[in-house]
């Protein structure tokens, strides 16, 4: 399935409008939301639900023949269980509030993330950070932008000079593998960061702020929009074992391209003392 530039622009425009509506809900709920746990330390608020509702209404209002895949409708499913059928129409893949724990604690690092999957690949990505008033947007073949200005990945050539980010799952047992990776990478990289928002990590990579990102436990709504941004900004994405990137697999390594081989190599090292 190939889409023309005008079609991609229409998709991108709709995604931006939906993200703005979702972000408005987040900001409107900031002082009055209630919060509960989906699972231990995995939070959901009234704001997540309100944002997803308006984003879904906006996108399906514009494209009623499309499918909507939202985080809050997919609790308990594995990434693979959310994969669309090969012959499915375009699928909007949405995290209405990425960085919920930050939002709950009033840490200004959260966003609305909207990706579009069509023809077996991500083709549109929009990430809107309402607190910083930063709109990251991209469509396949049309470039990546921050507040309508073109962005590119960094030119850092070696891990020793790189700022690398990651994300940890809420489940403690699943964190252990990432803690091993953190120990390995901190011995090689200039600095490491954990922002609490996978979507913003990838947006920052696309904008040249971060030089790499890895994680083992993402869902498609965490990464779909960011994957388009990173690709269009000139970066590289693979699985953690170096295979072609697949947003319906939980693992990801994304870099400015120059660091891809080195970061994959460090991640493959045997943990210290084992």
């Amino acid at each position: 399935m190939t889409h023309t530039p005008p079609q991609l622009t229409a998709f991108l425009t709709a995604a931006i409008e939906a993200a703005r509506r979702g972000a408005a809900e987040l900001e409107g709920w900031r002082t009055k939301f209630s919060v509960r746990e989906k699972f231990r330390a995995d939070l959901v608020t009234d704001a997540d639900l309100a944002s997803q509702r308006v984003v879904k209404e906006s996108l399906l209002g514009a494209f009623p023949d499309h499918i909507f895949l939202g985080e809050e409708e997919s609790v308990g499913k594995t990434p693979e269980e959310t994969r669309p059928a090969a012959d499915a129409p375009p699928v909007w893949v949405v995290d209405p509030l990425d960085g919920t724990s930050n939002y709950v604690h009033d840490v200004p690092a959260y966003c609305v993330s909207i990706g579009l999957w069509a023809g077996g690949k991500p083709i549109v990505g929009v990430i809107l950070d309402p607190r910083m008033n930063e709109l990251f947007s991209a469509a396949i073949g049309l470039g990546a932008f921050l507040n309508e200005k073109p962005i590119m990945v960094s030119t850092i050539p070696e891990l020793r000079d790189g700022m690398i980010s990651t994300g940890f799952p809420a489940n403690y047992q699943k964190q252990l593998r990432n803690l091993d990776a953190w120990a390995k990478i901190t011995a090689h990289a200039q600095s490491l960061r954990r922002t609490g928002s996978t979507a913003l990590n990838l947006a920052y990579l696309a904008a040249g702020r971060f030089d790499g990102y890895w994680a083992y436990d993402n869902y498609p709504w965490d990464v779909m929009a960011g994957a388009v941004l990173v690709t269009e900004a000139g970066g590289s994405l693979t699985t953690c074992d170096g295979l072609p990137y697949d947003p319906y697999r939980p693992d990801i390594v994304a870099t400015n391209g120059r660091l891809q081989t080195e970061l994959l190599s460090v991640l493959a090292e045997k943990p210290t003392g084992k």
Side-chain angles (χ1 to χ4, degrees):
M1 181 187 301
T2 301
H3 294 95
T4 65
Q7 287 176 314
L8 290 168
T9 299
F11 295 153
L12 189 58
T13 299
I16 290 171
E17 174 60 24
R20 293 194 189 283
R21 293 183 184 182
E25 288 291 328
L26 298 184
E27 297 310 278
W29 277 98
R30 267 181 57 203
T31 60
K32 58 184 180 181
F33 64 84
S34 62
V35 60
R36 62 177 175 83
E37 287 186 327
K38 292 183 281 189
F39 303 103
R40 173 74 181 106
D42 190 1
L43 307 180
V44 64
T45 71
D46 303 300
D48 297 72
L49 301 173
S51 176
Q52 179 159 301
R53 183 178 63 254
V54 299
V55 169
K56 182 177 183 179
E57 290 173 353
S58 183
L59 292 172
L60 296 187
F63 301 102
D65 57 330
H66 288 189
I67 296 173
F68 185 89
L69 173 63
E71 177 181 11
E72 304 312 328
E73 296 174 342
S74 306
V75 174
K77 294 183 179 179
T78 67
E80 182 61 35
E81 287 171 340
T82 66
R83 186 187 297 274
D87 59 351
V91 181
W92 292 102
V93 184
V94 173
D95 192 336
L97 172 49
D98 189 55
T100 301
S101 293
N102 288 343
Y103 181 86
V104 167
H105 292 277
D106 201 30
V107 176
Y110 55 85
C111 62
V112 179
S113 179
I114 299 175
L116 182 61
W117 171 267
K121 61 186 177 183
I123 65 169
V124 167
V126 169
I127 295 171
L128 176 57
D129 176 348
R131 294 288 287 275
M132 294 295 291
N133 192 29
E134 290 191 327
L135 173 67
F136 300 87
S137 60
I140 190 166
L142 300 182
F145 300 85
L146 167 54
N147 291 344
E148 301 184 353
K149 295 181 180 180
I151 53 176
M152 294 292 292
V153 295
S154 74
T155 57
I156 295 295
E158 296 180 339
L159 192 56
R160 66 185 300 274
D161 297 317
M163 179 177 282
I164 311 301
S165 63
T166 189
F168 283 75
N171 182 288
Y172 172 71
Q173 291 300 319
K174 290 185 176 182
Q175 290 179 15
L176 298 179
R177 183 183 182 189
N178 219 37
L179 288 169
D180 283 339
W182 183 282
K184 291 186 288 187
I185 294 172
T186 196
H188 294 270
Q190 185 181 87
S191 56
L192 273 65
R193 294 292 182 269
R194 177 187 177 188
T195 67
S197 169
T198 292
L200 287 180
N201 287 337
L202 292 171
Y204 288 3
L205 173 59
R209 297 171 180 174
F210 291 161
D211 307 298
Y213 170 78
W214 91 92
Y216 298 117
D217 292 285
N218 287 319
Y219 286 86
W221 44 81
D222 298 318
V223 295
M224 190 72 70
V228 185
L229 282 159
V230 171
T231 299
E232 288 300 305
S236 298
L237 304 104
T238 66
T239 63
C240 287
D241 47 8
L243 295 175
Y245 178 63
D246 179 355
Y248 294 96
R249 272 189 52 164
D251 56 312
I252 178 176
V253 174
T255 73
N256 61 5
R258 296 164 176 82
L259 301 184
Q260 194 76 18
T261 298
E262 187 180 4
L263 184 53
L264 284 168
S265 177
V266 171
L267 287 169
E269 291 176 359
K270 185 177 180 180
T272 303
K274 296 188 178 181

